Amino acid sequence: MYPGVPGTPTAPPPRAVDTLAQLRGGLSASAPADWVEQLRSGLRQLRDELREHIAATEGPNGLYDEVRRSDPRLACAVTRLRREHGKLSDTVDELSAWASEAEEDPSRLNAVRPRIRALLKQWGSHRRRDTQLAYDAVSLDLGGQD
């Protein structure tokens, strides 16, 4: 946790690791027979984590409001991260809808595998940018002074 910035993620919560592992397991080349259910479950967990993350960052007194108050120069970064929430939510919803109708056909897994991998990469990148935003908001500018 960063001082003065409530709700700042320092590391993914333990459940996030389980969620990502669940999704990766469903994508593996030697995916188990229940790969569709594994993906469904992982996407449900990711949706829940994303909702919690959005509540912690965009909610009243959340990270983004705190960052805007403490360092207004970071307002553009906050706006960008909020937009990403919408895109991530839309992607999770689309993939969840696909998974709810998917059958245990490996060719269907091949069709969606790149999208889920991209989602995992986007989610990880987003979390890192959130952490960097919190760090930037509390960092002291130590250079360039007389």
Side-chain angles (χ1 to χ4, degrees):
M1 178 130 335
Y2 296 101
V5 185
T8 303
T10 56
R15 192 175 77 188
V17 174
D18 295 340
T19 299
L20 299 180
Q22 176 115 10
L23 284 168
R24 285 186 185 110
L27 293 175
S28 71
S30 59
D34 64 343
W35 66 267
V36 172
E37 185 50 42
Q38 200 168 356
L39 288 178
R40 286 178 187 142
S41 176
L43 287 165
R44 276 192 304 271
Q45 287 176 336
L46 184 56
R47 182 185 304 134
D48 291 344
E49 287 175 23
L50 185 55
R51 285 181 183 150
E52 289 173 16
H53 170 77
I54 291 169
T57 55
E58 292 189 25
N61 297 315
L63 171 65
Y64 295 164
D65 285 345
E66 183 68 27
V67 167
R68 281 180 184 228
R69 279 193 298 272
S70 68
D71 196 341
R73 71 185 168 92
L74 297 172
C76 289
V78 168
T79 299
R80 202 169 26 255
L81 288 166
R82 283 187 175 177
R83 273 193 223 122
E84 287 179 15
H85 288 166
K87 292 175 185 175
L88 285 164
S89 294
D90 289 347
T91 301
V92 170
D93 289 345
E94 288 171 25
L95 290 169
S96 294
W98 173 87
S100 71
E101 298 173 3
E103 303 196 9
E104 306 271 335
D105 178 3
S107 66
R108 292 186 57 94
L109 173 60
N110 290 333
V112 77
R113 183 178 276 138
R115 291 193 66 209
I116 294 176
R117 283 190 180 136
L119 171 63
L120 293 174
K121 185 176 178 181
Q122 291 163 354
W123 176 234
S125 294
H126 177 82
R127 293 298 298 239
R128 283 188 297 279
R129 284 190 298 280
D130 265 346
T131 300
Q132 185 64 48
L133 174 75
Y135 177 80
D136 291 346
V138 298
S139 294
L140 296 174
D141 183 4
L142 300 176
Q145 296 182 9
D146 293 327

